[in-house]
């Protein structure tokens, strides 16, 4: 289990952000996706934060190549 914040190759649906967050914090990717979808019902910048994480979180392949 990786404790780094990376977007894994397995378990992605769109960009792997929710799968990476779930992996990092020991939660299932499905639960993180559900929480994200529920958060969309509230006003805020959830989509912008998702896009920023998509850009900032490295792919798992790239992280493993630089180790």
């Amino acid at each position: 289990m990786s404790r780094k914040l990376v977007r894994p190759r397995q378990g992605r649906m769109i960009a792997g952000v929710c799968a990476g967050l779930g992996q990092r914090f020991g939660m299932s990717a499905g639960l993180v996706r559900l929480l994200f979808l529920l958060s969309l019902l509230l006003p805020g910048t959830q989509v912008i934060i998702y896009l920023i994480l998509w850009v900032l979180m490295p792919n798992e392949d790239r992280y493993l190549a630089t180790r």
Side-chain angles (χ1 to χ4, degrees):
M1 178 190 313
S2 172
R3 297 310 284 170
K4 295 289 183 180
L5 189 56
V6 296
R7 293 183 295 130
R9 296 300 300 164
Q10 303 295 324
R12 284 185 175 191
M13 288 200 78
I14 297 175
V17 173
C18 291
L21 290 172
Q23 191 177 51
R24 169 64 175 93
F25 294 109
M27 301 167 59
S28 73
L31 178 62
V32 176
R33 288 180 189 116
L34 178 65
L35 291 173
F36 175 72
L37 289 174
L38 290 175
S39 76
L40 291 176
L41 299 173
L42 302 171
T45 59
Q46 297 88 333
V47 175
I48 294 172
I49 292 171
Y50 185 91
L51 294 173
I52 289 171
L53 286 173
W54 188 352
V55 170
L56 294 179
M57 285 173 65
N59 279 327
E60 185 176 41
D61 297 339
R62 184 176 302 164
Y63 172 74
L64 291 176
T66 60
R67 271 181 93 189

